[in-house]
Amino acid sequence: MQLFLIRHPRPRLAVGVCYGQLDVEAENPQPIAERLRALLPAATPVIASPLRRARCLAEALHPQPLFDERLLEIDFGEWEGVAWEQIDRQLLDAWAADLLHFVAPGGESAAMLQARVLDCVDSLRGSRVALVTHAGVIRALLGHWLQLPIAEWSRLDLDFGSITLLEIDTSGKDLQRAEQVQPRAPGILHYRNR
């Protein structure tokens, strides 16, 4: 399966504010959509996060995109809309000490994010799909399929409006789910941030 992983346009929000699932407007998606259309095969289905910053680009790319809440950015709970510099330093240190399992108050962990986005990908049908989503979602997918530790995948650089093509082998998915002994086939990364 070809997964075209597309990050939303830059949000219209002050720099330095935590905005995981905060629903904010984004910059004009039309120039990004025009550039991306040339990179997507004709008739590629588009599935997106329902947050406005992803929705606007999905609607500019496709006449009938689908929306899936499993593609939402990580939930930062009580941190949403708060300046990073105002968040309790001890909590930020606890997060840095356990990037995969730390849960912000009222939010979710990176492991929880990764589980839900993998569930979304496991439910996809067809040979290709474009996912218009968020940096955390894209990083979680790349980390899983490229078999990277979280210290690496959580730092992958993804530009606003970027497209990443990831090819994954889903042929043995049912066998792997049933037996839970074979690791998933690794993904093949073709390009990033184009």
Side-chain angles (χ1 to χ4, degrees), residues 149-187:
I150 189 169
E152 290 181 33
W153 67 256
S154 65
R155 295 179 176 269
L156 292 172
D157 188 27
L158 298 165
D159 294 335
F160 292 108
S162 66
I163 185 170
T164 303
L165 171 58
L166 179 66
E167 289 189 344
I168 56 176
D169 179 4
T170 59
S171 61
K173 179 171 53 177
D174 294 334
L175 177 65
Q176 292 166 5
R177 184 181 298 137
E179 295 183 8
Q180 295 296 315
V181 291
Q182 298 176 344
R184 292 184 185 269

Side-chain angles (χ1 to χ4, degrees), residues 2 4 36-45 128-130 163 165 191:
Q2 291 183 318
F4 293 89
L36 294 178
R37 271 192 221 100
L39 301 172
L40 291 173
T44 298
R128 70 178 176 273
V129 65
I163 185 170
L165 171 58
Y191 55 82

Side-chain angles (χ1 to χ4, degrees), residues 8 13 35 41 61 74 91 106 108 140 142 170 175 181 183 191:
H8 60 77
L13 188 70
R35 177 177 51 82
L61 280 172
I74 193 167
L91 289 176
E108 69 181 334
L142 291 174
T170 59
L175 177 65
V181 291
Y191 55 82

Side-chain angles (χ1 to χ4, degrees), residues 96-118:
D98 189 0
L99 292 173
L100 191 59
H101 299 290
F102 175 83
V103 178
E108 69 181 334
S109 68
M112 295 162 73
L113 164 72
Q114 191 173 53
R116 72 173 155 81
V117 299
L118 289 172

Side-chain angles (χ1 to χ4, degrees), residues 2-31:
Q2 291 183 318
L3 290 180
F4 293 89
L5 306 172
I6 299 170
R7 187 176 183 195
H8 60 77
R10 182 178 305 279
R12 291 185 175 155
L13 188 70
V15 174
V17 172
C18 176
Y19 65 93
Q21 290 189 8
L22 192 65
D23 198 10
V24 296
E25 295 289 338
E27 293 178 351
N28 181 4
Q30 292 302 328

